[in-house]
Amino acid sequence: VSTQSFFFFFFFSLLGFFLMAQSIQDNRLAFVVDYDDPQAGMTRKYQLLYFLNDNTIEMFDIKNRRVFLKRCAYPSLQVTDLHLGATVTIHSRQLLVSEYGDENTRKIFCRKSEHTLGLIKPDGYERMGEILKLIYKEGIRIRNIHMVQMTQEEAANFFSEHQGQPYYRDLVTHVISYPVVALYLVGEDSMSRWKKVLGPSDPAEARQQAPISIRAKYATSRVLNVCHGSSNHQAADREINFFFGEQSTLKRRNNASLTNCTLGIVKPHAVTQGIGGDIIQCILDEGFEISAIALANLGSDDAEDFLEVYKGVIPEYQGMLDQMTSGSCWVMEIRSENPVKSFRQLCGPHDPEIARVLRPESLRSKFGVDKIQNAIHCTDLPEDGVLEVEFFFRIMAAKLVNSK
């Protein structure tokens, strides 16, 4: 047993040294990714290499010490998708990025993986899409998103550092007046970049010092100032745990009403391209209520269950399945009068080319690429509206809050 242990120690040490040397030479990044194999009932570990010069990937089976996936292009996986705790999908396999594969990659990503919390307050709800758009434009990634109604006790606890300020009671009252949208933000200098997007807390100062910031444009007071951002790294850790940590009670609740509703999904390609915020702002501007929103990473089994109604019905089924499992998507409960029909009209025909002729103002006309990458999913049948929302916000609720 000791000889075998020594062998594995020697092998992994040699592999790590080799990958670090090669990563510098070949300009590539190395990660250890975990795959929970449902058939074998075990977690498999792979070495994932990302080559920056041509955006190709390669995978090695660590246990069996062999190539698992030969070097190839995989356009749906971007270097910005790779960070500790991220879930990426490669050929319908959901892989958790659990470790850096070498010291060079660790040094690079320690600089690029700063995290902070963003909180869209009730007065920022109508501008949610624009805020998300600005976040992506600034180069910040959204690792998770969660809409929830806070209680007075939770709000008072969250903003406890403001206790004693003259605006404290009004702040707590405002935050519980409508659901908030918590954003787990990650990226190089994400805290300072998010503060730049926000501008100073006082809207008068914001208009003077940062006239193009969110608060300069839309804030009316220190309480009604659209969004909150973590003040420092210690506060960021506390606030992220408050909404997304293992012990958080807020992450176990969502705001879905499951009545008079339909489902909307901003597809992975739209999230990756940074146009998800534009889509959401269009939905809000058209008078629809987004009553729940969350980030989802669909595995092949979940995607097959959800898209089963299309199997054997439309020729693009396999492509739809591949697209829905290719990365993170944003799922939404959308409410209005006659929600399924009216939201379907806003989305437009399934084929963006047809949409651009028949419904040029529709979402698929504006943001769709083809029948597979058509920007957004919407419920097709009136009787399926509540059922599709239930699939994500009740049946898959635990998976949504644990998305990384």
Side-chain angles (χ1 to χ4, degrees):
V1 177
S2 59
T3 303
Q4 186 181 38
S5 299
F6 174 78
F7 173 78
F8 277 105
F9 173 79
F10 176 77
F11 171 75
F12 287 126
S13 298
L14 187 61
L15 179 63
F17 177 79
F18 172 76
L19 289 174
M20 182 173 70
Q22 285 296 107
S23 67
I24 296 172
Q25 180 181 346
D26 295 344
N27 195 24
R28 69 185 184 183
L29 302 170
F31 304 88
V32 176
V33 296
D34 298 345
Y35 171 62
D36 289 329
D37 189 334
Q39 295 182 338
M42 61 182 294
T43 299
R44 301 186 185 276
K45 287 186 174 290
Y46 300 95
Q47 197 87 32
L48 171 64
L49 303 180
Y50 190 98
F51 296 85
L52 295 168
N53 57 336
D54 59 2
N55 298 326
T56 55
I57 62 171
E58 191 172 20
M59 289 177 65
F60 294 90
D61 185 328
I62 292 177
K63 182 179 179 181
N64 295 311
R65 305 190 298 282
R66 65 186 181 189
V67 174
F68 179 76
L69 177 67
K70 291 183 179 180
R71 185 170 175 177
C72 63
Y74 201 80
S76 63
L77 181 65
Q78 303 294 317
V79 67
T80 53
D81 298 328
L82 296 166
H83 50 85
L84 280 191
T87 299
V88 298
T89 305
I90 298 176
H91 293 305
S92 299
R93 289 180 178 233
Q94 278 194 324
L95 306 171
L96 173 67
V97 181
S98 59
E99 303 174 44
Y100 296 121
D102 59 40
E103 184 64 17
N104 183 56
T105 303
R106 188 192 68 78
K107 287 180 179 179
I108 292 172
F109 274 80
C110 279
R111 298 194 303 270
K112 295 186 176 183
S113 298
E114 182 178 83
H115 56 264
T116 190
L117 183 92
L119 190 71
I120 302 177
K121 296 180 179 180
D123 61 304
Y125 165 80
E126 293 292 340
R127 297 290 175 181
M128 175 168 48
E130 184 174 341
I131 293 165
L132 298 176
K133 176 182 176 180
L134 290 172
I135 288 171
Y136 270 86
K137 186 177 180 180
E138 194 60 34
I140 304 171
R141 300 187 303 273
I142 299 176
R143 180 178 291 189
N144 211 337
I145 181 170
H146 185 50
M147 188 177 197
V148 65
Q149 175 69 57
M150 299 178 75
T151 66
Q152 183 167 353
E153 182 180 359
E154 289 166 342
N157 186 11
F158 182 79
F159 288 107
S160 59
E161 65 183 45
H162 297 276
Q163 195 165 7
Q165 298 291 336
Y167 56 81
Y168 175 68
R169 285 190 177 183
D170 290 339
L171 177 60
V172 172
T173 300
H174 172 58
V175 169
I176 65 174
S177 65
Y178 196 78
V180 297
V181 180
L183 305 169
Y184 188 161
L185 306 177
V186 178
E188 187 172 4
D189 299 323
S190 61
M191 187 173 297
S192 62
R193 289 186 177 192
W194 175 229
K195 288 179 179 179
K196 175 187 171 185
V197 171
L198 290 178
S201 299
D202 187 326
E205 291 181 20
R207 282 186 276 274
Q208 287 183 345
Q209 300 174 18
I212 63 172
S213 66
I214 290 174
R215 286 168 174 161
K217 291 180 179 179
Y218 307 117
T220 56
S221 70
R222 289 185 68 93
V223 171
L224 304 177
N225 63 358
V226 189
C227 292
H228 163 83
S230 303
S231 57
N232 53 55
H233 292 97
Q234 184 177 2
D237 289 339
R238 181 184 75 84
E239 292 173 357
I240 288 171
N241 282 327
F242 192 88
F243 282 98
F244 299 104
E246 290 299 320
Q247 304 303 317
S248 172
T249 57
L250 285 123
K251 81 168 190 176
R252 293 180 176 83
R253 305 198 308 266
N254 62 59
N255 204 55
S257 66
L258 305 178
T259 59
N260 195 34
C261 60
T262 188
L263 184 77
I265 303 178
V266 178
K267 292 189 172 182
H269 80 92
V271 173
T272 300
Q273 292 168 18
I275 58 175
D278 299 88
I279 293 171
I280 286 176
Q281 195 58 52
C282 286
I283 294 170
L284 293 172
D285 289 345
E286 289 297 321
F288 290 89
E289 175 191 0
I290 298 177
S291 47
I293 183 169
L295 181 145
N297 288 293
L298 293 180
S300 56
D301 290 343
D302 292 326
E304 286 175 3
D305 287 345
F306 178 69
L307 297 172
E308 185 178 12
V309 66
Y310 299 101
K311 190 174 184 179
V313 176
I314 60 175
E316 297 82 22
Y317 169 75
Q318 187 59 48
M320 290 172 62
L321 193 65
D322 293 341
Q323 168 58 205
M324 292 296 280
T325 59
S326 65
S328 298
C329 58
W330 295 345
V331 297
M332 303 169 287
E333 180 189 66
I334 295 171
R335 305 186 75 212
S336 70
E337 291 296 323
N338 198 0
V340 174
K341 180 180 179 181
S342 56
F343 187 62
R344 237 187 115 189
Q345 288 176 342
L346 176 63
C347 291
H350 182 76
D351 186 340
E353 290 298 324
I354 296 175
R356 281 187 267 276
V357 175
L358 301 180
R359 300 292 303 277
E361 295 304 311
S362 67
L363 297 178
R364 287 169 175 158
S365 169
K366 292 179 179 179
F367 305 109
V369 179
D370 53 35
K371 293 180 182 179
I372 305 301
Q373 297 186 1
N374 61 358
I376 191 160
H377 165 87
C378 63
T379 307
D380 286 317
L381 301 175
E383 59 268 27
D384 288 342
V386 173
L387 292 175
E388 288 198 354
V389 174
E390 282 184 333
F391 180 86
F392 284 98
F393 290 98
R394 178 172 292 174
I395 298 171
M396 281 192 61
K399 293 184 179 181
L400 292 181
V401 298
N402 287 321
S403 293
K404 295 291 186 182

